[in-house]
Amino acid sequence: MDENRLLELVGKSGMRTQQERDAKAALKNLWKKYPVRKERDGNDFVFTLANERAKGGVTDTERDEFSTAGKAVAHGFAKENGNRKQISAEWYGSTHKDMTRWTLEKNFDLYDYEVDDIVEYSPKPDTDPCPCDYSVFDSKDMPDWIADAIKTGLNEFAHHYGHYYDPDAYTVDLCCGITISFGGMGGAPEFCEYEMAEAENHSYSSQREHLGRALHYVQDVSVPLHAGMALEQMNFEIDCDWDGCEVIDPYYDLHYEYEKWVRENFHSGENLVDDYDSLWAWNSDPSDCVYQVAAEATDQAYEVFHLMKENGTDIGSWNSTDYNDLVEATANPVFHAGAYTHALVDQIYG
């Protein structure tokens, strides 16, 4: 939304005169200090700083201003459409950037511009996928049209099949005694290996670009829902006609709300960064780095999926037992993400 549209919605919010003035003033103050540009991040459009690392950081006062303005805009939008649709505003961060910057600044002696370059490229595969074309499966026993439907499903909920990897082997009963078998679903190991090879074959800024992109894949598979329960997440059904088969109603909210919770609890809340920073690894095989992290995340995928499905996406309202189970299921894969992010960086800067 542009600035005039946001001010228009504040005006429609039905707030008292002074509250409306405060909300508009808050927006103008934030625009003045934080000029932004619009970017796509996966399935989201986000406003990011036009000038990275704005001086002074975000203060408590500015967070309050953002909350005031966000609520006013949301009320205005709801009033405009008769409360049929809702929107919300939130400070948006990138877990990839947070993980990458933490590893680089804590463990490697690099210039600031080198760190900034690698960090900036770490989320890029979400919007600019690797120009690779690898198989979705390490091995498969199924018709190509089913494999293509599963690939479509991975692209639907995981941004791209290259951002997913489940190392386990499966046999699935479709119906009527018909089964399909597959192993190693997803392309993350090959995509990571491609980007690391490009990093090693380039130098200077191009090397930093490909290293940042490679880190994305080992970090992605530390999310249990990027390493397991794929058919369940895509709600896969064999619903076929002469044009092929399709994926029915993926669990978008379940997947993205869990990712959002991880993002919000990396540097605050559960401080998952403490787990991320607990282990170093050395491994010269990029594909195996992805495999090692995915193997840990896969073990937690069933629990995370069913906790989210059965309790809903308002994680803060869960009972303490289920919430603590979610924290525990998340922490161990994050622990390994830190270790193998270190391993990939060490291949270039060790």
Side-chain angles (χ1 to χ4, degrees):
M1 297 183 188
D2 64 22
E3 295 179 2
N4 289 334
R5 174 60 172 151
L6 291 173
L7 292 172
E8 177 189 1
L9 290 175
V10 171
K12 294 180 177 180
S13 65
M15 304 177 81
R16 293 193 296 271
T17 301
Q18 188 58 49
Q19 290 176 315
E20 180 180 326
R21 288 175 180 167
D22 289 345
K24 290 181 176 179
L27 281 172
K28 292 174 181 178
N29 288 340
L30 292 171
W31 290 332
K32 184 176 180 180
K33 181 169 182 179
Y34 299 105
V36 297
R37 64 177 183 270
K38 187 177 181 180
E39 289 188 351
R40 187 175 182 88
D41 188 349
N43 288 342
D44 299 322
F45 279 107
V46 299
F47 289 96
T48 188
L49 294 177
N51 302 314
E52 284 295 328
R53 309 180 78 177
K55 294 180 180 179
V58 178
T59 67
D60 290 340
T61 298
E62 288 160 351
R63 287 186 182 276
D64 290 342
E65 288 180 331
F66 182 86
S67 177
T68 297
K71 289 176 182 177
V73 169
H75 284 311
F77 185 80
K79 289 261 188 181
E80 185 179 72
N81 67 75
N83 289 307
R84 292 187 301 273
K85 298 180 180 179
Q86 303 290 328
I87 60 173
S88 63
E90 64 185 58
W91 288 109
Y92 191 90
S94 167
T95 310
H96 290 291
K97 287 185 178 182
D98 289 342
M99 287 181 169
T100 301
R101 185 173 296 281
W102 190 271
T103 294
L104 295 174
E105 292 184 344
K106 294 289 183 179
N107 302 313
F108 294 91
D109 186 18
L110 303 180
Y111 291 108
D112 286 347
Y113 74 88
E114 293 177 309
V115 171
D116 290 346
D117 281 354
I118 299 167
V119 167
E120 283 306 301
Y121 280 109
S122 63
K124 290 301 181 184
D126 278 337
T127 56
D128 181 22
C130 165
C132 316
D133 187 20
Y134 297 109
S135 173
V136 182
F137 306 97
D138 291 347
S139 62
K140 66 182 177 70
D141 179 19
M142 68 182 80
D144 287 342
W145 49 267
I146 295 182
D148 290 343
I150 292 175
K151 180 178 179 179
T152 299
L154 290 174
N155 290 345
E156 287 285 331
F157 75 81
H159 301 306
H160 192 276
Y161 77 95
H163 300 201
Y164 183 95
Y165 186 65
D166 179 350
D168 287 349
Y170 292 92
T171 297
V172 178
D173 186 359
L174 299 180
C175 73
C176 310
I178 301 173
T179 61
I180 57 173
S181 299
F182 53 86
M185 185 196 299
E190 289 82 5
F191 281 55
C192 182
E193 189 168 16
Y194 170 88
E195 295 291 359
M196 284 300 294
E198 291 294 300
E200 291 171 354
N201 290 331
H202 288 79
S203 56
Y204 306 114
S205 61
S206 293
Q207 182 178 70
R208 296 191 291 274
E209 173 186 352
H210 289 289
L211 174 59
R213 292 175 62 90
L215 299 179
H216 185 100
Y217 300 105
V218 77
Q219 294 166 359
D220 255 359
V221 299
S222 72
V223 178
L225 297 184
H226 275 262
M229 304 299 286
L231 297 182
E232 291 82 359
Q233 288 185 78
M234 65 181 76
N235 206 6
F236 186 74
E237 294 182 16
I238 303 298
D239 182 28
C240 304
D241 56 28
W242 290 111
D243 295 323
C245 299
E246 61 183 17
V247 175
I248 309 298
D249 195 20
Y251 288 105
Y252 292 116
D253 289 349
L254 183 154
H255 186 96
Y256 294 119
E257 287 300 316
Y258 175 65
E259 286 186 330
K260 174 184 172 184
W261 176 84
V262 173
R263 184 170 67 240
E264 292 176 343
N265 282 275
F266 191 74
H267 279 302
S268 60
E270 299 302 328
N271 284 307
L272 294 169
V273 68
D274 293 340
D275 298 286
Y276 178 82
D277 194 39
S278 299
L279 178 69
W280 292 355
W282 287 266
N283 188 324
S284 60
D285 183 346
S287 179
D288 190 59
C289 288
V290 173
Y291 178 90
Q292 295 298 329
V293 178
E296 296 296 330
T298 298
D299 289 343
Q300 310 299 330
Y302 180 91
E303 182 164 31
V304 169
F305 177 81
H306 284 284
L307 284 169
M308 294 293 297
K309 184 179 179 184
E310 292 160 17
N311 288 291
T313 57
D314 185 9
I315 298 173
S317 68
W318 291 11
N319 67 64
S320 59
T321 299
D322 287 346
Y323 182 86
N324 290 335
D325 286 344
L326 186 73
V327 173
E328 184 176 350
T330 303
N332 192 51
V334 167
F335 174 78
H336 285 77
Y340 288 94
T341 294
H342 176 277
L344 291 179
V345 177
D346 187 71
Q347 291 181 39
I348 303 297
Y349 291 106

